[in-house]
Amino acid sequence: MYERHSPQEGLWGNDNFSGLYTASDESSIFSFWYQSIDTQTQILAILFQDVNDNALSIAKYTGDRTSQSSWTSIRQSIDIQMGSALAVAPVGSVRTDLRLYMGDPNGRMKVYQYDLTSDTLYDQGSELTP
C-alpha cells in the first residue's frame, strides 16, 4: 500500500506509510483521521486485511505538537470475511470511541466497539440482523 502526498508545488510523491504494509488482493481499505485542534493531536488509522489473512489489521500513526510516532500495526483477532466492506463511525462525545462494521466469515454484519487511542476492543462483535 502507498500513501501519496502533494506538497504545495503540486508534485505527487510517496509519504511515510508507503511500502510498510501489504493488503490482500480482496481487501477493502478504510482510512480514518482524528484531529484535535485544541491539543494539536492527530491519529491516522488505516484498516485492511493482510495478505492471506482473514483477520483485521489496523495501521496507526499518532502525533502532537511536540512528537510524532512511527506507523504501527495492530492485528486484531477478529474473523472477517475476505473482501468485506469496512466502515468506522465515531460515537458520542469522545471522538476516539468508534464502532467498527464488517462482515464475518458467514457474511453476517458485525459491529465492534473500538477505542482508537488504546487499540482496545470492548465487545466481541454484536451481530446485526435485518
Side-chain angles (χ1 to χ4, degrees):
M1 291 189 290
Y2 291 91
E3 175 187 19
R4 302 292 284 169
H5 174 76
S6 175
Q8 293 180 353
E9 295 83 34
L11 301 173
W12 286 89
N14 291 339
D15 211 351
N16 297 333
F17 179 83
S18 297
L20 297 178
Y21 307 102
T22 304
S24 165
D25 288 343
E26 296 180 33
S27 178
S28 295
I29 298 172
F30 182 87
S31 63
F32 183 81
W33 178 34
Y34 165 79
Q35 181 181 32
S36 171
I37 302 299
D38 295 334
T39 61
Q40 296 181 0
T41 59
Q42 66 175 339
I43 303 172
L44 305 170
I46 312 294
L47 288 74
F48 61 97
Q49 290 170 284
D50 277 323
V51 173
N52 301 320
D53 195 356
N54 72 337
L56 178 70
S57 290
I58 302 173
K60 188 170 87 169
Y61 166 87
T62 58
D64 59 29
R65 66 179 127 204
T66 60
S67 65
Q68 298 177 4
S69 71
S70 299
W71 281 93
T72 59
S73 180
I74 298 93
R75 179 170 289 152
Q76 299 292 342
S77 59
I78 299 173
D79 286 333
I80 181 172
Q81 183 180 38
M82 286 303 291
S84 173
L86 302 170
V88 173
V91 178
S93 61
V94 179
R95 305 312 289 171
T96 58
D97 181 12
L98 306 175
R99 298 301 179 270
L100 305 178
Y101 299 90
M102 66 200 73
D104 74 5
N106 297 315
R108 293 183 300 258
M109 182 182 281
K110 296 281 191 158
V111 60
Y112 296 84
Q113 184 177 354
Y114 180 67
D115 184 318
L116 183 62
T117 305
S118 68
D119 296 313
T120 304
L121 282 171
Y122 290 105
D123 292 338
Q124 288 303 312
S126 303
E127 186 174 316
L128 299 178
T129 55

